[in-house]
Amino acid sequence: MPVNTARVKTWPTQVSLKQWARVFIVSVLVSFMNPNGPGLWVYSWHVSFSTRIAKYIAEWQSPDFHMMIWVVVILVPLFLLVLLMLFGNIPVNWPDFFLVAGLFYATMKSIRFLPYYDVQWAVLLGVLTREWPFRRIQGYVVAPLLLLLTGLILFEKPIVPAGKPVGEPILAAQYLKTHPGRVFNMYHWGGYLISQHIPVFIDGRTDFYLQGHQLHQYMAVKNLTENPNIIWKQYNVRYVLWQPKTAVSTYLLSLPKQWTPIIKTKTAILFQHRGLW
């Protein structure tokens, strides 16, 4: 963000290598103060490098650079930083550089680290351009631009009040509360159904399902790589809750003698199995 350096002054500070080391060691020791102790690090390592999670869950996968948005927010900042480091006249802040490099690597492995990378490259960019004239732009010029940008963001994605369901199968959940039976649900609806006290087949706690076969079976049904009825029969599934206009819902609609759509909305279709398995 542009800063009026004539109005904002700070004393120059420098953190020594020993201070960095002390902060790092203390931070690691403090992280052990949790119910799982050092086991939290083992868990984090396991989840971060799990090939099964990276295979199935989009946020753990590498960015798809066929989408221009990832080129803009990942590669363009990197290009600017490299140019400034090669041709700029300000020495590189190496701790910030290595932090950016590490977060760039993490982002290339998993798109979920992108917010941390974007925050840190902006910090390094601010350091490398601290003597540029544009950094002295008056606040009354910058403030309207920031307000306009904030307004555009809120208009595009308005803030939703806490507890208000958005894109959730509300009518289906209300029906399932009074009509018990095993439900085969979509992955991203699991948390909502649990909040409505409805048992689920799977939910967003992906690591919880790595030990069993549920995650593989869910993906087999979603992609129709196996006969869904075989898997549903194994679990005695009575209801299937799925999004319309998908492969699974189209498949179920083609089997009216076996599956009946009892609730249909723009968000979800609730299918009920006819008869016994």
Side-chain angles (χ1 to χ4, degrees):
M1 180 185 300
V3 175
N4 186 344
T5 54
R7 297 169 54 191
V8 180
K9 296 182 179 180
T10 58
W11 291 102
T13 58
Q14 185 175 2
V15 180
S16 67
L17 185 60
K18 289 184 178 180
Q19 290 174 314
W20 277 104
R22 292 194 193 106
V23 171
F24 175 77
I25 293 173
V26 171
S27 299
V28 172
L29 293 176
V30 170
S31 70
F32 293 159
M33 300 173 61
N34 67 84
N36 297 303
L40 181 64
W41 283 95
V42 178
Y43 167 81
S44 300
W45 180 273
H46 171 68
V47 171
S48 299
F49 294 95
S50 171
T51 56
R52 294 185 65 189
I53 289 182
K55 179 180 179 181
Y56 295 131
I57 308 303
E59 66 175 302
W60 285 97
Q61 296 171 357
S62 299
D64 180 5
F65 287 108
H66 290 91
M67 300 176 62
M68 187 54 62
I69 182 64
W70 302 136
V71 176
V72 172
V73 300
I74 297 177
L75 297 185
V76 171
L78 181 67
F79 179 72
L80 291 175
L81 291 176
V82 170
L83 286 180
L84 288 171
M85 292 171 60
L86 291 176
F87 303 107
N89 57 0
I90 296 180
V92 177
N93 187 313
W94 290 108
D96 283 338
F97 167 78
F98 285 115
L99 188 54
V100 170
L103 290 172
F104 172 76
Y105 170 77
T107 302
M108 296 302 292
K109 279 185 61 68
S110 172
I111 195 66
R112 75 191 318 266
F113 293 103
L114 176 61
Y116 309 105
Y117 166 72
D118 279 344
V119 168
Q120 191 57 38
W121 73 251
V123 172
L124 183 56
L125 182 65
V127 173
L128 295 175
T129 61
R130 63 175 179 264
E131 296 181 359
W132 287 26
F134 84 93
R135 295 293 299 275
R136 296 172 176 80
I137 298 176
Q138 295 292 334
Y140 61 79
V141 177
V142 178
L145 296 177
L146 293 178
L147 289 174
L148 177 62
L149 180 60
T150 303
L152 291 174
I153 294 174
L154 293 177
F155 178 79
E156 179 68 20
K157 293 186 177 181
I159 298 176
V160 179
K164 181 180 179 180
V166 178
E168 308 292 358
I170 301 174
L171 293 179
Q174 292 174 350
Y175 181 88
L176 291 171
K177 287 181 180 180
T178 56
H179 298 78
R182 292 190 174 181
V183 182
F184 190 93
N185 61 283
M186 294 201 77
Y187 170 87
H188 59 280
W189 287 336
Y192 173 72
L193 295 177
I194 290 175
S195 72
Q196 301 300 307
H197 308 289
I198 299 171
V200 299
F201 181 83
I202 198 169
D203 63 84
R205 299 169 296 176
T206 312
D207 51 294
F208 181 76
Y209 297 95
L210 290 178
Q211 306 302 322
H213 302 287
Q214 288 93 336
L215 187 58
H216 171 77
Q217 291 173 322
Y218 171 82
M219 296 304 299
V221 170
K222 180 181 178 181
N223 298 322
L224 294 182
T225 54
E226 297 182 20
N227 187 340
N229 283 303
I230 296 177
I231 297 175
W232 293 332
K233 180 179 180 180
Q234 177 184 347
Y235 293 97
N236 193 26
V237 171
R238 182 171 176 79
Y239 301 102
V240 174
L241 182 58
W242 216 258
Q243 282 183 334
K245 299 180 181 180
T246 57
V248 173
S249 60
T250 303
Y251 170 79
L252 290 172
L253 289 171
S254 69
L255 302 173
K257 294 183 179 180
Q258 300 180 43
W259 294 93
T260 303
I262 54 179
I263 292 180
K264 295 178 67 174
T265 66
K266 294 181 179 180
T267 301
I269 304 179
L270 180 64
F271 296 90
Q272 181 176 1
H273 184 251
R274 302 183 66 176
L276 302 175
W277 287 106

